[in-house]
Amino acid sequence: MKTEFSLSQLADPDIAEADKILRACVHCGFCTATCPTYVLLGDELDSPRGRIYLIKEMLEKNRPPTAEVVKHIDRCLSCLACMTTCPSGVNYMHLVDQARVRIETQYARPLPERLLRAALAFVLPRPQWFRASMTLARLARPLAGLLPAPQSPSATPGLLRRIKAMLALAPAGLPPRGAPGGSVFPAQGERRGRVALLQGCAQQVLAPRINQAAINLLTRHGIEVVLVRDEQCCGALTHHLGRDDDAKARARANIAVWLAEAEQNGLDAILVTTSGCGTVIKDYGFMLREDRDFAAAAARVSALAKDITEYLGGIALQNSQRHGDIVVAYHSACSLQHGQKISELPKELLSKNGFVVKDVPESHLCCGSAGTYNILQPDIADKLRDRKVANIAMVKPDMIAAGNIGCMVQIAGGTSVPVVHTIELLDWATGGPKPGLKAPGLT
C-alpha cells in the first residue's frame, strides 16, 4: 500500500511504525474471510482491510477521528485472525492499537459512554473493586429484565443495553479468594525449576481455581511457584480501551517487581493462564521500545513470559489417570491461536494425557468475549457466542476446554456443557481433583 507521510510525521516512532505496517498491505482481502465482524455484517469497513484504509486516512492527514472511523474501529474485536491469514505479515495489532490511542485522546465520545469506559478502566484491573462490583451486579441482576430490550440488534448499542449485558455476565456467586501475592509454593520432591505465576485481575475473582490447578500441577512436577508481591493488572484491559499511559504504567510496575524477583530468587519463566494477558505481556518489549529506562527490561520480561501450556510442553507430565471416555471440545482462544501462535500444543497436551480432543468447526472465529467487547458491543458479541456454541455442539462434547477466562465466561453464558480451563484438565489427569463442573464464577 502506498503511503504519503511527511518527513516530519515519520519522525514520530509510532507513525514510522504505522507506515511500515501500511506498506506491507497488498489489498489482497484474504483477511476478510476470517474477520468475525465482516463475516457477520458484510461491510467492507468492518473488515481489517477496510479499517486499515480508515486508519491510513486518519493518520496520513493527521485528522481527528470521525464518528464513522470510531464506529468501525470500536467494532473490531482485536481477535487478530487477520494476522494469521495475512500472507504479507501485516501487523494489524499494532496498527489498530495506535488507532485506539488516537481515538481515546482526540475523540469526544458521548458523556454516558465516557463514564462507562472510565468505570470499566478503573474497576476491572483492580480485583478488590471488581469483586465489589460483581456483588453489586448480582444484587441488581433481577432488575435486568426490567430494562427495555432493543428493537433490533445494534452494532452501536446504547448505555442501557450495555448495562443489561454487564448484569447478564455477572455470576450468581463468587468463590473464596485465592492465595495472596507474596505466596510461595514449594516444589514437591527435587526442585526442577522456579516460576512466577500471573495472578490476573478478573480471573482471580471469578475463578481462582484456575491458578490453583496450575500451582498444584507445577509443584507436583518439581516446579516452585511464586505469586509476586505488588504485581498489578498486566495492562491488557486498559490497553485495548486506548488508555496507553495507564497500560504502560502497569507494564513498568510489573516489570520492576518481576525482575526484582528474578534477580533475588531466580525465575525460569513468568507463566500466564489467561491468554489475553499473555499476548500483551509478550508485547511489553514493543510497547516500551522507546522508553530508555525500561526498553531492555521490557524485552527481557517479554522473553520470560510463557503461556502455561508452552511451559508444560517442556515437562514430562506424569500420567496417573486416563479419561479416554471424556470428549473435550477445545476452544482455541483468539489471543492464544492468533496473538501467540499457539494452536496445537494445548490439544496435544490434553490428548497425550488421556482425553478425547475434538476440534471445533470455525475454530478461527472469535467467541465474542474480547476483553470488554461483550459489554461494549453486546449484540455482535451475542451473535458470535451463539455461533461458537452451535459449532461446539456439533462435536457433542462432555466438556469444553479453553485457555482464557473471558472466553470461558462468554461461552458458558450460552451452553449447559461444563466449561473448564485446559490446566484444570491437565491437573486432573496427573493426580489432581476433578474440575468443578459449573460455569466460571459460580460456587
Side-chain angles (χ1 to χ4, degrees):
M1 179 180 290
K2 182 182 177 182
T3 59
E4 296 179 351
F5 291 106
S6 68
L7 290 177
S8 60
Q9 284 178 303
L10 292 171
D12 180 336
D14 287 333
I15 294 297
E17 181 66 21
D19 181 63
K20 183 173 71 174
I21 296 169
L22 290 166
R23 285 177 176 270
C25 180
V26 297
H27 317 269
C28 67
F30 284 4
C31 57
T32 61
T34 57
C35 174
T37 49
Y38 182 77
V39 168
L40 285 184
L41 304 174
D43 187 336
E44 173 72 14
L45 294 180
D46 285 315
S47 74
R49 183 172 62 181
R51 294 185 180 107
I52 285 171
Y53 277 113
L54 292 175
I55 295 168
K56 174 182 179 292
E57 181 82 359
M58 176 178 64
L59 296 180
E60 227 173 35
K61 296 185 178 177
N62 197 24
R63 292 176 175 170
T66 64
E68 184 75 1
V69 169
V70 172
K71 177 177 71 172
H72 295 293
I73 299 301
D74 281 355
R75 289 179 184 174
C76 174
L77 295 116
S78 280
C79 70
L80 309 181
C82 54
M83 288 178 60
T84 297
T85 310
C86 180
S88 302
V90 175
N91 196 319
Y92 177 81
M93 177 174 76
H94 289 158
L95 189 65
V96 77
D97 285 346
Q98 193 174 144
R100 288 199 170 103
V101 172
R102 183 162 290 224
I103 289 169
E104 180 64 20
T105 56
Q106 296 187 11
Y107 183 74
R109 295 182 184 274
L111 180 61
E113 186 166 357
R114 292 205 306 273
L115 292 174
L116 175 61
R117 287 173 174 267
L120 292 173
F122 181 83
V123 171
L124 292 178
R126 295 171 171 85
Q128 296 300 332
W129 282 88
F130 182 60
R131 177 175 285 275
S133 72
M134 288 297 96
T135 301
L136 291 174
R138 186 172 73 249
L139 296 174
R141 195 171 182 179
L143 302 177
L146 301 178
L147 294 174
Q151 295 282 330
S152 60
S154 171
T156 52
L159 180 62
L160 291 180
R161 175 68 183 97
R162 287 166 169 165
I163 291 174
K164 192 168 186 174
M166 281 195 289
L167 294 177
L169 288 168
L174 293 175
R177 289 175 172 82
S183 300
V184 178
F185 301 87
Q188 296 177 20
E190 181 183 356
R191 195 177 91 169
R192 299 165 57 193
R194 190 174 192 273
V195 300
L197 183 65
L198 180 76
Q199 294 156 69
C201 303
Q203 180 171 288
Q204 68 171 280
V205 174
L206 296 175
R209 69 175 198 265
I210 294 171
N211 269 5
Q212 189 58 57
I215 291 165
N216 293 345
L217 186 148
L218 290 164
T219 55
R220 188 183 306 124
H221 288 83
I223 308 300
E224 184 172 284
V225 180
V226 58
L227 306 181
V228 177
R229 193 184 306 277
D230 297 326
E231 179 186 282
Q232 296 191 17
C233 168
C234 70
L237 290 165
T238 51
H239 178 63
H240 293 306
L241 287 169
R243 297 178 174 242
D244 202 39
D245 290 342
D246 182 275
K248 287 180 178 178
R250 294 180 183 281
R252 292 186 190 101
N254 284 335
I255 289 165
V257 297
W258 286 334
L259 291 187
E261 180 68 35
E263 289 163 8
Q264 290 170 18
N265 301 300
L267 288 178
D268 303 317
I270 299 166
L271 301 188
V272 186
T273 54
T274 304
S275 60
C277 302
T279 301
V280 169
I281 295 170
K282 288 182 177 183
D283 205 42
Y284 275 4
F286 178 83
M287 288 171 61
L288 297 175
R289 68 195 185 285
E290 298 296 324
D291 188 323
R292 286 183 294 179
D293 296 329
F294 277 87
R300 184 180 169 193
V301 164
S302 290
L304 280 171
K306 293 182 182 296
D307 183 74
I308 185 73
T309 56
E310 281 184 286
Y311 190 78
L312 295 179
I315 296 177
L317 298 182
Q318 60 189 46
N319 199 331
S320 61
Q321 299 182 45
R322 306 295 293 182
H323 302 292
D325 58 337
I326 295 178
V327 176
V328 175
Y330 176 70
H331 165 70
S332 190
C334 296
S335 46
L336 199 56
Q337 65 167 316
H338 303 309
Q340 299 182 49
K341 307 304 180 189
I342 301 171
S343 56
E344 298 303 317
L345 182 56
K347 293 184 288 185
E348 290 172 3
L349 286 169
L350 289 169
S351 181
K352 287 178 181 177
N353 286 279
F355 297 98
V356 178
V357 182
K358 295 291 185 70
D359 281 319
V360 175
E362 292 188 329
S363 61
H364 62 282
L365 284 182
C366 184
C367 68
S369 172
T372 58
Y373 192 92
N374 52 4
I375 295 172
L376 297 174
Q377 298 286 340
D379 295 315
I380 295 176
D382 284 355
K383 286 183 179 180
L384 290 171
R385 181 202 61 202
D386 293 345
R387 186 170 181 142
K388 179 66 66 177
V389 167
N391 278 320
I392 289 172
M394 292 174 68
V395 304
K396 299 179 180 178
D398 300 304
M399 293 184 183
I400 301 164
N404 188 62
I405 183 66
C407 301
M408 293 169 66
V409 172
Q410 176 77 349
I411 293 169
T415 180
S416 60
V417 179
V419 185
V420 298
H421 195 284
T422 307
I423 195 66
E424 294 183 272
L425 293 179
L426 293 175
D427 178 39
W428 181 27
T430 57
K434 187 176 183 179
L437 301 184
K438 292 188 178 180
L442 299 189
T443 55

Tab-separated table of all heavy atoms in Angstrom, residues 380-419:
chain	number	residue	atom	x	y	z
A	380	ILE	N	-23.272	-7.832	18.761
A	380	ILE	CA	-22.324	-8.585	17.935
A	380	ILE	C	-21.741	-9.733	18.751
A	380	ILE	O	-21.618	-10.863	18.265
A	380	ILE	CB	-21.200	-7.665	17.418
A	380	ILE	CG1	-21.763	-6.608	16.471
A	380	ILE	CG2	-20.126	-8.478	16.707
A	380	ILE	CD1	-20.724	-5.600	15.988
A	381	ALA	N	-21.392	-9.458	20.005
A	381	ALA	CA	-20.817	-10.491	20.867
A	381	ALA	C	-21.768	-11.667	21.052
A	381	ALA	O	-21.348	-12.831	21.031
A	381	ALA	CB	-20.440	-9.890	22.217
A	382	ASP	N	-23.055	-11.373	21.243
A	382	ASP	CA	-24.033	-12.452	21.422
A	382	ASP	C	-24.148	-13.320	20.173
A	382	ASP	O	-24.269	-14.554	20.253
A	382	ASP	CB	-25.400	-11.864	21.770
A	382	ASP	CG	-25.484	-11.377	23.212
A	382	ASP	OD1	-24.513	-11.577	23.963
A	382	ASP	OD2	-26.524	-10.792	23.578
A	383	LYS	N	-24.133	-12.682	19.003
A	383	LYS	CA	-24.200	-13.456	17.753
A	383	LYS	C	-22.992	-14.372	17.610
A	383	LYS	O	-23.112	-15.532	17.197
A	383	LYS	CB	-24.280	-12.507	16.561
A	383	LYS	CG	-25.623	-11.818	16.383
A	383	LYS	CD	-25.607	-10.946	15.126
A	383	LYS	CE	-26.944	-10.271	14.903
A	383	LYS	NZ	-26.932	-9.424	13.682
A	384	LEU	N	-21.821	-13.845	17.957
A	384	LEU	CA	-20.610	-14.658	17.856
A	384	LEU	C	-20.622	-15.790	18.877
A	384	LEU	O	-20.200	-16.912	18.574
A	384	LEU	CB	-19.371	-13.787	18.036
A	384	LEU	CG	-19.077	-12.830	16.884
A	384	LEU	CD1	-17.961	-11.868	17.259
A	384	LEU	CD2	-18.692	-13.607	15.619
A	385	ARG	N	-21.109	-15.511	20.076
A	385	ARG	CA	-21.223	-16.570	21.090
A	385	ARG	C	-22.159	-17.673	20.626
A	385	ARG	O	-21.841	-18.876	20.722
A	385	ARG	CB	-21.727	-15.985	22.405
A	385	ARG	CG	-21.853	-17.028	23.524
A	385	ARG	CD	-22.803	-16.567	24.590
A	385	ARG	NE	-24.157	-16.364	24.054
A	385	ARG	CZ	-25.068	-15.584	24.616
A	385	ARG	NH1	-24.798	-14.911	25.715
A	385	ARG	NH2	-26.271	-15.466	24.056
A	386	ASP	N	-23.329	-17.298	20.115
A	386	ASP	CA	-24.297	-18.302	19.678
A	386	ASP	C	-23.739	-19.137	18.528
A	386	ASP	O	-23.964	-20.351	18.460
A	386	ASP	CB	-25.597	-17.620	19.254
A	386	ASP	CG	-26.313	-16.959	20.431
A	386	ASP	OD1	-25.964	-17.262	21.584
A	386	ASP	OD2	-27.212	-16.127	20.182
A	387	ARG	N	-22.996	-18.489	17.646
A	387	ARG	CA	-22.381	-19.223	16.532
A	387	ARG	C	-21.319	-20.188	17.056
A	387	ARG	O	-21.223	-21.333	16.605
A	387	ARG	CB	-21.765	-18.220	15.558
A	387	ARG	CG	-21.210	-18.833	14.279
A	387	ARG	CD	-20.843	-17.739	13.299
A	387	ARG	NE	-20.333	-18.255	12.036
A	387	ARG	CZ	-20.604	-17.724	10.858
A	387	ARG	NH1	-21.389	-16.673	10.767
A	387	ARG	NH2	-20.086	-18.243	9.755
A	388	LYS	N	-20.532	-19.716	18.035
A	388	LYS	CA	-19.499	-20.574	18.625
A	388	LYS	C	-20.123	-21.762	19.349
A	388	LYS	O	-19.680	-22.912	19.198
A	388	LYS	CB	-18.641	-19.748	19.579
A	388	LYS	CG	-17.535	-20.519	20.287
A	388	LYS	CD	-16.476	-21.019	19.331
A	388	LYS	CE	-15.696	-19.897	18.685
A	388	LYS	NZ	-14.610	-20.403	17.811
A	389	VAL	N	-21.149	-21.505	20.134
A	389	VAL	CA	-21.805	-22.574	20.894
A	389	VAL	C	-22.427	-23.606	19.948
A	389	VAL	O	-22.355	-24.818	20.190
A	389	VAL	CB	-22.855	-21.979	21.849
A	389	VAL	CG1	-23.760	-23.067	22.421
A	389	VAL	CG2	-22.172	-21.220	22.985
A	390	ALA	N	-23.014	-23.150	18.848
A	390	ALA	CA	-23.602	-24.070	17.868
A	390	ALA	C	-22.526	-24.941	17.240
A	390	ALA	O	-22.730	-26.150	17.026
A	390	ALA	CB	-24.347	-23.284	16.787
A	391	ASN	N	-21.371	-24.364	16.960
A	391	ASN	CA	-20.263	-25.146	16.395
A	391	ASN	C	-19.721	-26.146	17.408
A	391	ASN	O	-19.373	-27.282	17.051
A	391	ASN	CB	-19.150	-24.207	15.925
A	391	ASN	CG	-19.433	-23.624	14.557
A	391	ASN	OD1	-19.920	-24.305	13.658
A	391	ASN	ND2	-19.125	-22.348	14.375
A	392	ILE	N	-19.634	-25.730	18.660
A	392	ILE	CA	-19.171	-26.648	19.706
A	392	ILE	C	-20.133	-27.816	19.852
A	392	ILE	O	-19.718	-28.980	20.004
A	392	ILE	CB	-19.021	-25.883	21.048
A	392	ILE	CG1	-17.816	-24.942	20.992
A	392	ILE	CG2	-18.871	-26.868	22.210
A	392	ILE	CD1	-17.703	-24.006	22.184
A	393	ALA	N	-21.429	-27.538	19.784
A	393	ALA	CA	-22.434	-28.598	19.944
A	393	ALA	C	-22.307	-29.670	18.871
A	393	ALA	O	-22.689	-30.828	19.097
A	393	ALA	CB	-23.837	-27.988	19.925
A	394	MET	N	-21.762	-29.320	17.714
A	394	MET	CA	-21.633	-30.282	16.620
A	394	MET	C	-20.702	-31.441	16.953
A	394	MET	O	-20.839	-32.525	16.388
A	394	MET	CB	-21.153	-29.560	15.358
A	394	MET	CG	-22.175	-28.591	14.770
A	394	MET	SD	-21.517	-27.637	13.383
A	394	MET	CE	-21.315	-28.946	12.161
A	395	VAL	N	-19.756	-31.225	17.874
A	395	VAL	CA	-18.824	-32.311	18.214
A	395	VAL	C	-19.291	-33.090	19.443
A	395	VAL	O	-18.626	-34.022	19.882
A	395	VAL	CB	-17.395	-31.778	18.427
A	395	VAL	CG1	-16.916	-31.022	17.200
A	395	VAL	CG2	-17.281	-30.890	19.659
A	396	LYS	N	-20.443	-32.708	20.020
A	396	LYS	CA	-21.080	-33.410	21.137
A	396	LYS	C	-20.099	-33.683	22.292
A	396	LYS	O	-19.862	-34.830	22.672
A	396	LYS	CB	-21.690	-34.724	20.642
A	396	LYS	CG	-22.759	-34.523	19.574
A	396	LYS	CD	-23.329	-35.830	19.075
A	396	LYS	CE	-24.393	-35.594	18.008
A	396	LYS	NZ	-24.935	-36.854	17.452
A	397	PRO	N	-19.548	-32.629	22.876
A	397	PRO	CA	-18.546	-32.832	23.927
A	397	PRO	C	-19.158	-33.070	25.303
A	397	PRO	O	-20.302	-32.709	25.569
A	397	PRO	CB	-17.793	-31.496	23.917
A	397	PRO	CG	-18.858	-30.498	23.560
A	397	PRO	CD	-19.767	-31.209	22.580
A	398	ASP	N	-18.350	-33.674	26.173
A	398	ASP	CA	-18.704	-33.778	27.582
A	398	ASP	C	-18.245	-32.541	28.341
A	398	ASP	O	-18.828	-32.172	29.357
A	398	ASP	CB	-18.062	-35.023	28.202
A	398	ASP	CG	-18.512	-36.294	27.521
A	398	ASP	OD1	-19.732	-36.526	27.453
A	398	ASP	OD2	-17.647	-37.043	27.020
A	399	MET	N	-17.161	-31.945	27.839
A	399	MET	CA	-16.603	-30.740	28.442
A	399	MET	C	-16.074	-29.832	27.343
A	399	MET	O	-15.754	-30.293	26.243
A	399	MET	CB	-15.446	-31.068	29.400
A	399	MET	CG	-15.794	-31.819	30.643
A	399	MET	SD	-14.319	-31.995	31.688
A	399	MET	CE	-14.988	-32.982	33.023
A	400	ILE	N	-15.966	-28.560	27.673
A	400	ILE	CA	-15.331	-27.581	26.789
A	400	ILE	C	-14.108	-27.045	27.512
A	400	ILE	O	-14.196	-26.646	28.682
A	400	ILE	CB	-16.293	-26.415	26.464
A	400	ILE	CG1	-17.566	-26.933	25.798
A	400	ILE	CG2	-15.603	-25.381	25.567
A	400	ILE	CD1	-18.707	-25.928	25.790
A	401	ALA	N	-12.962	-27.049	26.845
A	401	ALA	CA	-11.729	-26.538	27.446
A	401	ALA	C	-11.287	-25.284	26.709
A	401	ALA	O	-11.399	-25.198	25.484
A	401	ALA	CB	-10.625	-27.590	27.394
A	402	ALA	N	-10.783	-24.319	27.464
A	402	ALA	CA	-10.264	-23.080	26.883
A	402	ALA	C	-9.135	-22.575	27.755
A	402	ALA	O	-8.988	-22.998	28.903
A	402	ALA	CB	-11.361	-22.020	26.761
A	403	GLY	N	-8.344	-21.655	27.223
A	403	GLY	CA	-7.193	-21.127	27.952
A	403	GLY	C	-7.315	-19.671	28.301
A	403	GLY	O	-6.305	-19.009	28.546
A	404	ASN	N	-8.555	-19.159	28.378
A	404	ASN	CA	-8.755	-17.734	28.652
A	404	ASN	C	-10.068	-17.551	29.405
A	404	ASN	O	-11.116	-18.010	28.944
A	404	ASN	CB	-8.782	-16.950	27.335
A	404	ASN	CG	-8.796	-15.458	27.554
A	404	ASN	OD1	-7.859	-14.891	28.120
A	404	ASN	ND2	-9.845	-14.795	27.103
A	405	ILE	N	-10.020	-16.884	30.552
A	405	ILE	CA	-11.205	-16.735	31.394
A	405	ILE	C	-12.331	-15.988	30.682
A	405	ILE	O	-13.501	-16.315	30.843
A	405	ILE	CB	-10.842	-16.032	32.729
A	405	ILE	CG1	-12.063	-15.939	33.659
A	405	ILE	CG2	-10.251	-14.663	32.486
A	405	ILE	CD1	-12.587	-17.256	34.152
A	406	GLY	N	-11.987	-14.998	29.852
A	406	GLY	CA	-13.027	-14.267	29.131
A	406	GLY	C	-13.825	-15.170	28.225
A	406	GLY	O	-15.066	-15.110	28.184
A	407	CYS	N	-13.125	-16.030	27.498
A	407	CYS	CA	-13.810	-16.989	26.624
A	407	CYS	C	-14.675	-17.948	27.436
A	407	CYS	O	-15.791	-18.287	27.037
A	407	CYS	CB	-12.782	-17.802	25.826
A	407	CYS	SG	-11.681	-16.826	24.787
A	408	MET	N	-14.142	-18.386	28.578
A	408	MET	CA	-14.877	-19.338	29.402
A	408	MET	C	-16.206	-18.756	29.871
A	408	MET	O	-17.250	-19.405	29.790
A	408	MET	CB	-14.017	-19.758	30.599
A	408	MET	CG	-12.784	-20.576	30.217
A	408	MET	SD	-11.640	-20.789	31.605
A	408	MET	CE	-12.632	-21.794	32.716
A	409	VAL	N	-16.174	-17.519	30.361
A	409	VAL	CA	-17.398	-16.869	30.823
A	409	VAL	C	-18.362	-16.650	29.662
A	409	VAL	O	-19.560	-16.889	29.775
A	409	VAL	CB	-17.061	-15.535	31.514
A	409	VAL	CG1	-18.338	-14.751	31.827
A	409	VAL	CG2	-16.267	-15.781	32.789
A	410	GLN	N	-17.824	-16.198	28.535
A	410	GLN	CA	-18.657	-15.922	27.364
A	410	GLN	C	-19.368	-17.178	26.871
A	410	GLN	O	-20.580	-17.188	26.658
A	410	GLN	CB	-17.785	-15.325	26.254
A	410	GLN	CG	-18.479	-15.075	24.932
A	410	GLN	CD	-19.356	-13.851	24.922
A	410	GLN	OE1	-19.628	-13.249	25.956
A	410	GLN	NE2	-19.823	-13.465	23.740
A	411	ILE	N	-18.623	-18.251	26.693
A	411	ILE	CA	-19.194	-19.495	26.163
A	411	ILE	C	-20.162	-20.118	27.167
A	411	ILE	O	-21.231	-20.616	26.801
A	411	ILE	CB	-18.078	-20.481	25.783
A	411	ILE	CG1	-17.281	-19.919	24.599
A	411	ILE	CG2	-18.639	-21.855	25.439
A	411	ILE	CD1	-16.002	-20.674	24.290
A	412	ALA	N	-19.802	-20.057	28.458
A	412	ALA	CA	-20.675	-20.640	29.486
A	412	ALA	C	-22.030	-19.952	29.519
A	412	ALA	O	-23.024	-20.552	29.936
A	412	ALA	CB	-20.005	-20.536	30.858
A	413	GLY	N	-22.100	-18.704	29.045
A	413	GLY	CA	-23.365	-17.994	29.007
A	413	GLY	C	-24.326	-18.506	27.956
A	413	GLY	O	-25.494	-18.087	27.927
A	414	GLY	N	-23.868	-19.421	27.100
A	414	GLY	CA	-24.735	-19.905	26.034
A	414	GLY	C	-24.880	-21.409	25.967
A	414	GLY	O	-25.456	-21.938	25.005
A	415	THR	N	-24.338	-22.125	26.964
A	415	THR	CA	-24.395	-23.594	26.915
A	415	THR	C	-24.472	-24.166	28.323
A	415	THR	O	-24.037	-23.527	29.286
A	415	THR	CB	-23.160	-24.169	26.200
A	415	THR	OG1	-23.244	-25.598	26.156
A	415	THR	CG2	-21.870	-23.785	26.912
A	416	SER	N	-25.014	-25.368	28.425
A	416	SER	CA	-25.036	-26.076	29.705
A	416	SER	C	-23.865	-27.053	29.829
A	416	SER	O	-23.676	-27.669	30.882
A	416	SER	CB	-26.351	-26.842	29.859
A	416	SER	OG	-26.495	-27.792	28.802
A	417	VAL	N	-23.067	-27.191	28.777
A	417	VAL	CA	-21.893	-28.065	28.821
A	417	VAL	C	-20.846	-27.426	29.728
A	417	VAL	O	-20.579	-26.221	29.613
A	417	VAL	CB	-21.312	-28.289	27.403
A	417	VAL	CG1	-20.070	-29.174	27.466
A	417	VAL	CG2	-22.359	-28.899	26.490
A	418	PRO	N	-20.240	-28.170	30.643
A	418	PRO	CA	-19.244	-27.585	31.540
A	418	PRO	C	-18.078	-26.967	30.764
A	418	PRO	O	-17.553	-27.555	29.822
A	418	PRO	CB	-18.766	-28.784	32.370
A	418	PRO	CG	-19.875	-29.766	32.296
A	418	PRO	CD	-20.487	-29.600	30.944
A	419	VAL	N	-17.679	-25.775	31.183
A	419	VAL	CA	-16.550	-25.071	30.568
A	419	VAL	C	-15.434	-24.978	31.596
A	419	VAL	O	-15.625	-24.410	32.676
A	419	VAL	CB	-16.952	-23.657	30.100
A	419	VAL	CG1	-15.796	-22.992	29.364
A	419	VAL	CG2	-18.190	-23.705	29.212
